[in-house]
Amino acid sequence: MNEEGVPVPDREGRDGPGAGSVRIRDVNGPLTRQAIVIAAVTLVVDALTFAHSTGSPSFPAGWRWAMLAAIVVVDAGLASAPRLSGVVAVAQATVQIAGTLLRPEAALPPSLNSAGMLISAYRAGAWLDRWPAVVALLCLTAGTLARPILSGADFAQELLLLAPMASALLPWLVGRYTTARRAYIAELEQRSERDKAEARQALAAAIAEERAGIARDLHDVISHHVSAIGVHAGVARLRAAAAPGAPDLAESLTAVETSSRAAMLDLRRLLDVLHGHPSGEDSQPGLDNLPELLDTLRAVGLRARVTVHGAPSPLPESLDIAVYRVVQEMLANALRHGAGGVAEVELRHDPSSLTVTTSNLLGTRARSRPDSPHRGLQGIRSRTAVFAGHTSYGPAPDGRTWTTTATFPLSPS
């Protein structure tokens, strides 16, 4: 973070203690290669320009080779780590000043490392903090002014001094602007990410609160009544069992008690899900629990028989639960609307699908209510549609049997 409050990258080009909120991708490899290319091009330009400006005999060979070696060293420094930008800038300015001072007396100040000075000014503005960047700019400005001053330029001719100053100041300002712009864009991106994260958290909190409210309502409205049914059914069963001549009443009350306990178990499972509690292995029933379901239905007077075709294959947990619930709803419909107290369940396992079919005699109550909302069938259709399956249901051609079919596609293993 610089002193104006603008976050800037550290001298390594990465986020550091003074980097503020700038996030730069890990591009150290490409950045190093680019720095080497820039340094090489700058070196070639400075070397050619120096050779052209010192081609006259007034420049001795020893001086020329010494200055060329100095130019090579400082321009090669442009490929160093960004944290050394200040050192490289001072070195560039030193070569410019020393070369001008040590030139032969009869020669005009030659062109030494002008391209290196420009690149150093940009690097100092882009990578250094405020005060180190300002010090580097002052050194570079002194280097650019050495040539016109030592060549005897008249201070009254301000334009002669303004151009060298601009050659250091302008790239330095471009570097500062580039860093500030990058920091601004990074801050906007982080602000957007924070807003999205806050929105997601708010949505998750709202969903959790709604689920908790539904769980409370289920507990308050349903569980107490189901618990009361189970308690009263148990008491009545004990009294009926003790009374002579009432075995049927005791059997019916046993079925009521068993059903209420099963309903309470399922309700607790749903409440655990709504409260966000992690479920155990038996938190939701699957096809392995069909025998218990059939025993419960037999206790209340529905004789259901299951026929399995094909080789069963392991199902995903969510699909296993959905198939169980579909079978449960189909048999509940057969109990409520069927006749004869008999239902047939067929499970057909194919390589690409699982088909569940139930059939039962059509009761007179179902025939007399063609406008029934069929909420049970709607639930079956909804559960099947979640897995891209399809359902079919309706009376047989003889009008005596009702058949419900749900087909679940299976993903190839």
Side-chain angles (χ1 to χ4, degrees):
M1 184 77 69
N2 62 16
E3 296 194 4
E4 292 88 356
V6 177
V8 297
D10 66 4
R11 298 187 180 107
E12 290 288 357
R14 304 184 299 267
D15 286 350
S21 59
V22 175
R23 301 294 300 176
I24 301 177
R25 293 180 303 168
D26 186 12
V27 291
N28 290 334
L31 184 63
T32 301
R33 289 192 293 270
Q34 291 176 8
I36 293 174
V37 171
I38 292 174
V41 173
T42 303
L43 175 58
V44 171
V45 171
D46 281 341
L48 293 177
T49 304
F50 174 75
H52 181 269
S53 64
T54 58
S56 63
S58 57
F59 294 97
W63 179 89
R64 291 175 62 187
W65 285 110
M67 294 309 304
L68 181 60
I71 292 173
V72 170
V73 171
V74 294
D75 282 353
L78 297 174
S80 62
R83 68 174 181 272
L84 301 177
S85 297
V87 176
V88 175
V90 173
Q92 291 278 355
T94 301
V95 170
Q96 186 74 239
I97 295 173
T100 304
L101 289 175
L102 298 177
R103 77 186 190 282
E105 296 182 359
L108 293 175
S111 178
L112 297 170
N113 53 332
S114 300
M117 297 280 286
L118 290 174
I119 302 301
S120 297
Y122 174 82
R123 281 166 51 95
W127 293 110
L128 298 179
D129 291 336
R130 180 179 181 181
W131 288 114
V134 170
V135 172
L137 174 63
L138 294 177
C139 294
L140 291 169
T141 302
T144 57
L145 291 177
R147 184 178 179 184
I149 292 176
L150 296 178
S151 63
D154 188 357
F155 283 95
Q157 299 175 351
E158 297 179 359
L159 290 179
L160 294 177
L161 300 178
L162 182 60
M165 290 178 60
S167 65
L169 180 61
L170 287 180
W172 185 86
L173 291 175
V174 172
R176 302 302 290 177
Y177 171 77
T178 301
T179 298
R181 180 178 177 273
R182 183 169 56 231
Y184 176 70
I185 294 175
E187 178 62 27
L188 290 180
E189 292 176 350
Q190 286 198 348
R191 188 181 304 170
S192 176
E193 290 298 326
R194 285 196 299 269
D195 292 342
K196 291 179 182 179
E198 291 174 359
R200 287 193 295 266
Q201 292 175 357
L203 178 61
I207 293 175
E209 183 177 358
E210 184 66 20
R211 287 161 64 101
I214 295 174
R216 287 193 298 270
D217 292 341
L218 283 174
H219 182 270
D220 295 342
V221 176
I222 298 176
S223 65
H224 291 276
H225 298 296
V226 176
S227 298
I229 292 173
V231 171
H232 289 297
V235 173
R237 175 178 56 81
L238 294 176
R239 291 180 178 177
D248 294 339
L249 177 59
E251 182 178 352
S252 298
L253 291 174
T254 300
V256 172
E257 183 181 9
T258 302
S259 298
S260 64
R261 288 177 179 174
M264 280 300 301
L265 181 60
D266 283 343
L267 182 58
R268 291 193 184 98
R269 290 168 177 162
L270 291 176
L271 291 175
D272 287 340
V273 173
L274 288 173
H275 281 300
H277 296 160
S279 56
E281 295 181 356
D282 59 345
S283 62
Q284 290 281 1
L287 289 180
D288 292 339
N289 301 100
L290 279 183
E292 296 121 6
L293 175 62
L294 298 181
D295 291 341
T296 301
L297 292 173
R298 291 189 188 102
V300 295
L302 179 66
R303 298 187 302 277
R305 184 177 63 182
V306 178
T307 304
V308 179
H309 300 278
S313 58
L315 300 177
E317 182 181 1
S318 57
L319 179 58
D320 192 32
I321 296 171
V323 174
Y324 174 87
R325 293 301 185 189
V326 166
V327 175
Q328 184 183 40
E329 186 60 39
M330 287 179 174
L331 294 178
N333 289 342
L335 179 63
R336 288 194 296 266
H337 306 297
V342 178
E344 297 287 338
V345 180
E346 181 181 294
L347 297 176
R348 183 172 297 277
H349 296 269
D350 295 323
S352 60
S353 64
L354 170 61
T355 303
V356 181
T357 303
T358 60
S359 58
N360 57 273
L361 293 177
L362 192 61
T364 57
R365 183 174 59 175
R367 291 195 188 96
S368 63
R369 296 188 59 191
D371 58 341
S372 173
H374 302 295
R375 292 188 177 90
L377 295 176
Q378 291 175 1
I380 294 173
R381 188 166 55 246
S382 298
R383 288 184 183 275
T384 309
V386 169
F387 297 91
H390 57 86
T391 58
S392 61
Y393 46 81
D398 59 6
R400 299 178 61 249
T401 305
W402 180 275
T403 301
T404 306
T405 302
T407 301
F408 298 86
L410 300 178
S411 301
S413 56

